[in-house]
Amino acid sequence: METALDDIARVLTAPQPGLRDRYGAFVLQLLGNIATGLAVGLGFAIGRAIAG
């Protein structure tokens, strides 16, 4: 029982992750997907413009 209480106390006193730590990877993935989508769309647009 004592170890369970020690675990609970350790979890409660642990530093909380910041907003940057929590959502940083998600934002980077989202920006990468947007950049890829823009590059593909621009490539299609240029290809269609060249093809006429």
Side-chain angles (χ1 to χ4, degrees), residues 3-29:
T3 58
L5 292 177
D6 289 341
D7 290 341
I8 292 172
R10 182 177 43 82
V11 167
L12 291 176
T13 58
Q16 298 298 320
L19 192 61
R20 181 179 216 157
D21 295 335
R22 192 175 304 161
Y23 297 111
F26 176 74
V27 170
L28 285 176
Q29 183 69 37

Side-chain angles (χ1 to χ4, degrees), residues 20-52:
R20 181 179 216 157
D21 295 335
R22 192 175 304 161
Y23 297 111
F26 176 74
V27 170
L28 285 176
Q29 183 69 37
L30 181 65
L31 289 175
N33 289 343
I34 290 172
T36 301
L38 285 174
V40 168
L42 188 61
F44 280 138
I46 292 172
R48 289 181 57 104
I50 291 172

